[in-house]
Amino acid sequence: MNGKHVVAEIIVVTSGKGGVGKTTTSAAFATGLAQRGNRTVVIDFDVGLRNLDLIMGCERRVVYDFVNVINGDATLRQALIKDKRYDNLFILPASQTRDKDSLDKEAVGRILNELKQEFDYIVCDSPAGIERGAFLAMYYADSAIVVTNPEVSSVRDSDRILGILSSKSKRAEEGSEHIKEHLLLTRYSPTRVERGEMLSVNDVLDILSVPLLGVIPESQAVLRASNSGTPVIVDSESDAGQAYTDAVARFLGEDRPHRFIENTKPSLLKRLFTKKREGVSA
């Protein structure tokens, strides 16, 4: 342990809808926390599908998985995969072959408690929707990163997830302090917002009323990173990588301005007027 946290923090990365960028976010966020010197583990709760290991670039190193540990077929030490880029980052992969009901609430709690002894942050990559894996990923959470796209159906599904976080978590059952909620808006395009093709940041915030952790721009860098098995935050030159770095910094308490919200390319009309003015002043 690096002494920064008395108690490890469990973070669930969740959403109501599939394909919004949860696993990309889990990989980037866990990597970002590790980059900042925190001992971090990221767990794939998506039993039956398993994509986190692909995005983390460790799919060929999976021997044992989360369900093997739950069933007692392997120890945590055997199942945890150490990241090749950062010594303080570990991955606990999901099972590709097991049934989704293989996850047991008490067993998951026991494993999380064991991980708390060794890590500063435990990032839980939730499957989409409200199935068992998603429920267990959020049940023990201290903080939640709700990932949504700027479209009505995605925002509505996120609103439903927020309701579950506030009513069905362990904290809610015990009547203790609420899960700390954060909103991460992914695949955002200011140009498409201007054209009325997607909701603006303010539209989403008006509907969900959750503190904004970050806005991740629509970016080819995300696809490139996924295909190469590298979390996009490692690509510090890319806009998406920088946006994730900002989001991690905000999560850790830093005050950073939001970028990639405004359209940086001036409109055709604006460019024409600028050229005319330059011609006059010349």
Side-chain angles (χ1 to χ4, degrees):
M1 293 289 284
N2 62 21
K4 288 185 184 178
H5 297 273
V6 179
V7 181
E9 185 168 352
I10 299 174
I11 306 163
V12 63
V13 179
T14 184
S15 78
K17 201 169 194 272
V20 298
K22 272 188 310 303
T23 301
T24 294
T25 296
S26 297
F29 218 81
T31 303
L33 290 168
Q35 286 174 337
R36 302 286 293 257
N38 300 287
R39 267 184 74 79
T40 306
V41 59
V42 56
I43 307 172
D44 190 347
F45 274 80
D46 203 351
V47 173
L49 289 178
R50 197 171 90 189
N51 286 315
L52 180 67
D53 54 311
L54 288 168
I55 290 179
M56 297 295 291
C58 63
E59 70 279 4
R60 293 184 181 176
R61 296 164 60 209
V62 175
V63 179
Y64 295 108
D65 57 54
F66 195 8
V67 176
N68 290 140
V69 180
I70 284 174
N71 291 341
D73 303 326
T75 64
L76 259 179
R77 201 168 292 280
Q78 286 175 303
L80 286 172
I81 300 169
K82 190 177 189 179
D83 186 75
K84 286 185 173 177
R85 292 165 288 260
Y86 303 98
D87 286 342
N88 55 347
L89 177 60
F90 291 79
I91 300 100
L92 182 56
S95 169
Q96 270 185 312
T97 56
R98 309 287 181 137
D99 186 81
K100 291 184 188 298
D101 292 329
S102 302
L103 297 180
D104 170 80
K105 188 161 80 171
E106 283 67 36
V108 168
R110 192 172 64 246
I111 288 166
L112 291 174
N113 280 332
E114 201 176 326
L115 291 168
K116 278 183 172 184
Q117 309 309 310
E118 287 195 46
F119 292 94
D120 297 320
Y121 290 101
I122 300 165
V123 178
C124 301
D125 180 27
S126 171
I130 52 172
E131 63 176 48
R132 184 163 181 77
F135 167 71
L136 290 174
M138 68 176 77
Y139 181 73
Y140 293 99
D142 302 306
S143 296
I145 297 171
V146 180
V147 183
T148 190
N149 290 158
E151 56 181 59
V152 174
S153 62
S154 180
V155 173
R156 186 183 62 186
D157 288 346
S158 293
D159 194 35
R160 192 175 177 202
I161 290 296
L162 288 166
I164 294 169
L165 284 168
S166 64
S167 63
K168 293 191 176 179
S169 66
K170 187 169 187 284
R171 283 171 173 251
E173 283 180 4
E174 293 172 348
S176 56
E177 193 181 341
H178 279 236
I179 292 173
K180 195 180 288 183
E181 297 161 348
H182 307 270
L183 180 67
L184 192 79
L185 194 54
T186 54
R187 297 186 182 156
Y188 192 76
S189 166
T191 305
R192 292 181 64 195
V193 170
E194 284 179 8
R195 292 203 298 256
E197 294 174 6
M198 59 172 59
L199 299 173
S200 70
V201 172
N202 287 335
D203 290 336
V204 177
L205 291 176
D206 283 346
I207 299 165
L208 295 180
S209 303
V210 175
L212 183 65
L213 185 64
V215 177
I216 313 300
E218 205 167 36
S219 174
Q220 285 301 310
V222 173
L223 187 61
R224 283 198 306 272
S226 295
N227 287 340
S228 65
T230 308
V232 71
I233 199 168
V234 175
D235 182 3
S236 57
E237 299 296 308
S238 71
D239 49 3
Q242 290 168 28
Y244 274 116
T245 298
D246 288 350
V248 171
R250 288 188 204 101
F251 185 87
L252 295 174
E254 283 185 30
D255 187 18
R256 291 202 181 188
H258 287 281
R259 299 188 276 171
F260 315 110
I261 291 177
E262 302 297 327
N263 200 345
T264 51
K265 292 179 183 174
S267 66
L268 176 60
L269 206 60
K270 200 169 183 180
R271 289 203 302 270
L272 287 171
F273 273 108
T274 305
K275 281 180 181 176
K276 276 189 176 181
R277 278 202 301 272
E278 285 170 356
V280 169
S281 59

